[in-house]
Amino acid sequence: DPGADASLCGMAATGASGTNAVRYGTMRPNVLNLRVVLPDGRLLHTAGPGRQPRKRAAGYDLTSLFVGSEGTLGFLTQATLRLHPLPEATAATIVSFPSVGAAVACTVQVLQAAVPVARIEFLDDVMADACGRFSGMGLPVAATLLLELHGSRHSLAEQQQQTEEIVRQNGGSGLAWAEGLEERERLWSMRHNAWYAALALRPGCQGYSTDVCVPISRLPDVVVETKQDLQASGITGPMVGHVGDGNFHCLLIFNSQDPEEAQCIHAFTQRLGRRALAAGGTCTGEHGVGLGKRALLQEELGQEGLDTLRSIKAALDPHNLMNPGKVL
């Protein structure tokens, strides 16, 4: 389940993922082959025409090269994807926590306990309130986790018991499992429309979405520091994240006609990126570098890494036709 209005090749182009990534992986391991139109018009099949092996060791990994390339190396026109079987049983729940730190600490403990959670999504109090009102579900105004478990009937009961114990240890409340398809779809529909719920907080304003990804062990500190930064800056920036991957997003809502407010948003995104880098993470786990994170990319990779990227770009696109100015 990706975000609203996502496309398959678009997600491949940014190396994105969705709510199921914590168990089934991001786009990168799930793309087996890509059909790409190169800048000179040639047609490339990154794993060879018609090929779809689960793994390969034949030459450079061209598929991974184009996953995350953000349209700078060619047009992605077709993707061959790995499929995963539907589970025998599924259960989902929404849990409220006394603080952002408690919700994220619960996430870390669930993962460290090796609970094979399929989805574990985080909403801060602002995002939970916005999603609850936008969807009509009326969530408590509190840091919130949305969890989903997959497995056999027998294994699901064991997973539920483990999860409930960890939730209680972190002060979670309101846990009730939904196993019916309609109820689960209603829950995830609320999360799916988080972007529109955030925009509804300030009608007429523009949204700017940014993300970072950090090691799971550093996630609680980084999320709490980011929440404090948002509050101190006075920014309307609800937080939502695929926290099972250490990845979270700030949906920044601002008046684009106000230069001072726009500058405040830019300064925050740079601080957020550098906070993630200082924690051993990356300046973007999904949304890509684009124009806004080029300086952060250099800090992340170093000059040698950036020079290598430029060499690849020059070899495939010597006339700089593809998304000029993006990433590099």
Side-chain angles (χ1 to χ4, degrees), residues 188-229:
W188 289 111
S189 176
M190 175 199 66
R191 166 64 182 87
H192 187 82
N193 291 314
W195 173 246
Y196 302 117
L199 289 174
L201 291 172
R202 292 184 67 184
C205 287
Q206 181 177 335
Y208 183 95
S209 183
T210 188
D211 83 305
V212 294
C213 189
V214 298
I216 294 294
S217 61
R218 296 299 307 277
L219 185 64
D221 291 340
V222 174
V223 168
V224 169
E225 290 170 16
T226 301
K227 180 67 174 176
Q228 292 169 343
D229 191 352

Side-chain angles (χ1 to χ4, degrees), residues 44-169:
L44 168 70
H45 295 265
T46 56
R51 306 199 183 282
Q52 46 189 333
R54 288 181 61 87
K55 62 181 182 180
R56 60 190 298 275
Y60 300 143
D61 189 349
L62 295 178
T63 303
S64 288
L65 174 64
F66 282 90
V67 173
S69 60
E70 298 186 46
T72 61
L73 302 178
F75 289 113
L76 310 188
T77 62
Q78 186 182 81
T80 302
L81 305 176
R82 174 175 293 148
L83 299 181
H84 298 270
L86 292 173
E88 177 189 351
T90 302
T93 188
I94 302 178
V95 188
S96 299
F97 290 86
S99 68
V100 165
V104 181
C106 180
T107 300
V108 174
Q109 290 169 31
V110 166
L111 296 171
Q112 289 176 338
V115 178
V117 62
R119 305 186 189 185
I120 184 162
E121 294 286 303
F122 165 73
L123 312 175
D124 75 347
D125 53 333
V126 180
M127 190 78 260
D129 184 37
C131 284
R133 285 191 280 129
F134 188 80
S135 67
M137 289 185 67
L139 294 180
V141 183
T144 300
L145 288 181
L146 287 73
L147 297 101
E148 186 167 284
L149 305 174
H150 294 174
S152 66
R153 297 285 177 192
H154 177 74
S155 67
L156 197 65
E158 184 179 348
Q159 292 177 43
Q160 287 173 296
Q161 182 180 0
Q162 283 182 283
T163 303
E164 288 169 7
E165 290 176 4
I166 296 170
V167 165
R168 282 195 296 270
Q169 291 168 8

